[in-house]
Amino acid sequence: MYMNQNRGMPVAVIAESSNQISAQIDNEGLVVSDRIEEVMMMCGRSHGIYEQIGNFAIALYVLGFLDAEDIMAADDIEADEAADLLTENFAEIKEKDLPLNYSIKESKERYLLVIGDPLFPLHFAVLTDTQSQRPYFSKLRFFGSGFDRLQELMSDFLGEDGLGYQDVRYFKKKLYGSKPQELSANIYIVRDDVQQLLVA
């Protein structure tokens, strides 16, 4: 077994832990992708067949915040409930702090675009891929669910009660949020013949 000279940590243990974390990210990415495909099938732009759920619930369902096995089992969410979930589980960031190379399928980080006052939001959109021409996924009021540019999202709201681009905000999911992720790996570190158990 090779040792990391700088940290005194077995290289094999580091590699195993890295593989476990990578596998967890891959699995979470697949789950999110499946939810997006499900939403597109049930209430997509061109052939929506299930319209009983609004944009807040769509975004939060995709991100795994709703306790529902599928979109048809999800309850709709009002603006005040959405605001509470946003406050509890996300932290506001600046647009410049969004990652340049981000894919929701390959990262554990989660981002929301919020239109309107965060305490009285009008719209949630999930950031899915910063390399895409249409990086945001959400359900528009009159056109169903799909992917959009920021300009396309705002065209649904501009001028409404003085709403403008100054009312667009960005949020990053807190590390644990309301549903802490399970600790995924145990790493053993051997130093001076003392074995310590650290939880990664």
Side-chain angles (χ1 to χ4, degrees):
M1 180 180 292
Y2 295 97
M3 297 294 294
N4 184 319
Q5 297 299 320
N6 294 327
R7 297 176 180 268
M9 183 181 295
V11 173
V13 173
I14 297 174
E16 181 180 358
S17 175
S18 177
N19 289 338
Q20 289 175 327
I21 294 172
S22 178
Q24 182 182 11
I25 292 174
D26 290 344
N27 182 63
E28 291 175 359
L30 288 173
V31 171
V32 169
S33 295
D34 287 345
R35 291 192 188 117
I36 289 176
E37 290 181 8
E38 178 193 353
V39 170
M40 291 289 286
M41 180 179 68
M42 298 303 295
C43 51
R45 297 275 163 87
S46 59
H47 53 278
I49 59 176
Y50 185 70
E51 297 296 331
Q52 283 71 43
I53 191 166
N55 87 87
F56 298 128
I58 290 291
L60 294 168
Y61 173 74
V62 166
L63 294 180
F65 278 93
L66 302 190
D67 187 16
E69 293 185 0
D70 55 49
I71 192 62
M72 295 185 70
D75 293 327
D76 201 10
I77 293 179
E78 299 297 329
D80 57 341
E81 297 175 275
D84 289 341
L85 280 166
L86 185 68
T87 300
E88 292 171 5
N89 298 284
F90 290 82
E92 186 170 0
I93 62 173
K94 296 180 179 180
E95 183 180 8
K96 67 180 181 64
D97 294 325
L98 292 173
L100 295 177
N101 296 295
Y102 171 80
S103 170
I104 199 169
K105 298 178 182 179
E106 300 172 0
S107 174
K108 292 179 68 175
E109 296 178 343
R110 300 291 181 258
Y111 298 89
L112 272 179
L113 177 150
V114 177
I115 298 176
D117 187 332
L119 297 178
F120 304 96
L122 295 175
H123 191 79
F124 284 177
V126 178
L127 178 64
T128 59
D129 188 345
T130 55
Q131 298 300 303
S132 170
Q133 291 186 347
R134 291 182 167 85
Y136 299 105
F137 181 80
S138 68
K139 181 181 180 183
L140 297 180
R141 291 179 292 184
F142 309 114
F143 301 103
S145 301
F147 296 90
D148 297 287
R149 302 181 181 91
L150 174 59
Q151 294 83 353
E152 291 168 330
L153 285 176
M154 289 304 295
S155 67
D156 208 35
F157 298 95
L158 280 177
E160 184 176 304
D161 296 325
L163 203 68
Y165 283 94
Q166 72 277 5
D167 298 296
V168 176
R169 293 177 172 85
Y170 300 88
F171 288 80
K172 180 179 180 179
K173 183 185 175 186
K174 296 175 184 176
L175 183 59
Y176 294 118
S178 62
K179 292 187 176 181
Q181 297 179 358
E182 294 183 1
L183 301 176
S184 59
N186 292 331
I187 299 177
Y188 290 89
I189 297 178
V190 179
R191 287 198 183 100
D192 300 326
D193 298 325
V194 177
Q195 193 175 60
Q196 299 175 331
L197 175 63
L198 298 183
V199 179

